[in-house]
Amino acid sequence: MRSSRLAVFAALPVLALGVAACGDDEDESASTTAAPAETQTTEMAASEDIVALASGNDDLSTLVTAVTAADLVETLQGDGPFTVFAPTNEAFEALPAGTLDDLLKPENKEQLTEILTYHVVPDEAMAADLTDGQKLKTVQGEELEVGVADDGTVTINGAEVTTADVDASNGVVHVIDEVLTPPSS
């Protein structure tokens, strides 16, 4: 089943390194709408795709390296929309010693792909559209949980969205402060 998800993902025209609402009726009872008061919102040239946008941001260079190692560049340059929750270089550095180096090895490409696709939702979700307790199904196949604090701070599985709503031509990027790990990993 896992390899079929990967095959389906590989056939997608765009990599989803982020999260967006899937339209499931799960947890529609959530009533708090995100209004990212403390979260920095950035508008960038929406003419750039997700990879070009990330490549132009020094704080996302490790993510770009990982996407390249997983052969997901072409996918992320395809049509969307996608929501990508993009971990910063600092987030990757916070992983246990040696973890990133191991993930970047060719023999660990499948595990790296699982982790990266867990950061992507096959839809576009702006921060203000996210609700507390909302579940977002990822391209990897598992769900992420949205948290929205009273002050408007948005979290994804506990990782804080530090920069929200960065428009790309094929979706939106939200920068996060942690690398998300699928429960199945």
Side-chain angles (χ1 to χ4, degrees):
M1 185 114 180
R2 191 167 59 165
S3 63
S4 66
R5 274 198 310 263
L6 291 175
V8 168
F9 179 76
L12 288 175
V14 176
L15 165 70
L17 279 181
V19 179
C22 294
D24 290 341
D25 290 336
E26 293 180 301
D27 207 72
E28 281 190 359
S29 63
S31 61
T32 306
T33 301
E38 297 293 318
T39 304
Q40 178 184 6
T41 302
T42 304
E43 290 186 30
M44 297 182 112
S47 62
E48 293 182 310
D49 61 51
I50 290 167
V51 174
L53 208 156
S55 295
N57 183 330
D58 290 341
D59 289 334
L60 299 177
S61 63
T62 304
L63 175 63
V64 173
T65 298
V67 167
T68 301
D71 289 329
L72 296 173
V73 170
E74 186 176 319
T75 302
L76 282 176
Q77 292 175 326
D79 294 334
F82 292 95
T83 298
V84 174
F85 291 96
T88 62
N89 294 347
E90 192 173 300
F92 280 102
E93 291 167 9
L95 292 171
T99 301
L100 180 60
D101 290 335
D102 285 343
L103 286 171
L104 294 174
K105 292 178 180 176
E107 61 267 24
N108 296 325
K109 181 178 171 182
E110 184 175 337
Q111 183 182 9
L112 179 60
T113 300
E114 289 268 326
I115 291 170
L116 292 175
T117 57
Y118 187 61
H119 290 78
V120 180
V121 174
D123 197 356
E124 185 174 86
M126 305 307 281
D129 297 331
L130 300 174
T131 58
D132 191 47
Q134 181 178 8
K135 305 285 187 190
L136 303 171
K137 188 165 184 175
T138 69
V139 169
Q140 181 266 349
E142 296 187 53
E143 293 181 336
L144 298 170
E145 184 171 348
V146 176
V148 181
D150 289 340
D151 68 359
T153 301
V154 176
T155 59
I156 304 299
N157 283 12
E160 186 174 334
V161 174
T162 58
T163 304
D165 300 335
V166 182
D167 282 334
S169 62
N170 57 350
V172 64
V173 175
H174 302 290
V175 179
I176 57 174
D177 66 354
E178 293 179 34
V179 175
L180 306 173
T181 306
S184 61
S185 289

